[in-house]
Each structure stands twice: as structure tokens, then as C-alpha cells.
Amino acid sequence: MNEVPLHKDLPLPDYDHLPVGTLPTRISGLEEADVAQLITYEKAHGNRLPILQVLEKRLHDLQGGTVPRGPQAPDTPEVNTGQPQTAKAASVPGPPINPPSQGDPTNPAQPR
């Protein structure tokens, strides 16, 4: 039986936390050996049927002559890189705030 690869040796960074819907595009640039490595890892750890179906279909396609396309290590925006994210200021101000018709209760000079 194949030796189970370590998580750090997988061809996709943070493989366990990738959304299932993005998996087909993430593996499109991987070679046959890389997809086989992911299948071995998945069977040993999560054994999730939807993931295995996607991986096994891709492996079957590659064995049938499909050429890998796309980046070898695709961008994974979901994965936390450890870099602090900068807070973005709101570029659009909110709507103007009008005081109630009976006056502003926080202004003692206005009637209530």
C-alpha cells in the first residue's frame, strides 16, 4: 500500500480547509502523481466521498491523456497566510442623519 503523505508535503497548501466547490479548479494544474498523493491522503484522513469523487475523476482524466492546465500552486485566498489584514476604511459615507420632527433629544436648546 502507498505510504500516506504528511500534510506539509501535499501539493495544495492547507488542503483540509479548501472549500469543496473550488477543488476542481485548484487541482487543474496538478500532475497525475500529485492528484494520486491527494487521494491517498484523503482516504487516510477525511475519506470524504465528494472530495474523493472529484480527485478520482481528475486522476482518471489525467491517465486518459488530459494535460494539466492552470497554475501548479493556485492562489488560495481562503487560506490564512499569517499576514495581518489591514482594515479598510469605508469609502462611502452613510446616509445623512436627520433629527426627529419633534426635535433632537440630545440638544437641550431645542424643544421636545
Side-chain angles (χ1 to χ4, degrees), residues 18-111:
L18 294 176
V20 177
T22 64
L23 190 60
T25 56
R26 308 283 178 169
I27 62 174
S28 64
L30 299 180
E31 299 289 334
E32 187 177 328
D34 294 332
V35 176
Q37 185 181 28
L38 289 174
I39 290 171
T40 303
Y41 180 83
E42 182 62 34
K43 285 181 178 178
H45 291 88
N47 206 21
R48 300 168 287 179
L49 182 60
I51 302 291
L52 285 171
Q53 288 174 333
V54 170
L55 292 172
E56 287 170 351
K57 180 184 181 326
R58 183 62 184 167
L59 182 62
H60 178 73
D61 291 346
L62 289 169
Q63 289 170 343
T66 301
V67 178
R69 65 190 192 301
Q72 186 72 14
D75 184 32
T76 53
E78 305 84 15
V79 177
N80 183 4
T81 59
Q83 300 286 332
Q85 294 184 355
T86 57
K88 296 180 181 178
S91 60
V92 179
I97 299 174
N98 297 326
S101 61
Q102 69 272 16
D104 185 357
T106 60
N107 186 353
Q110 281 189 328

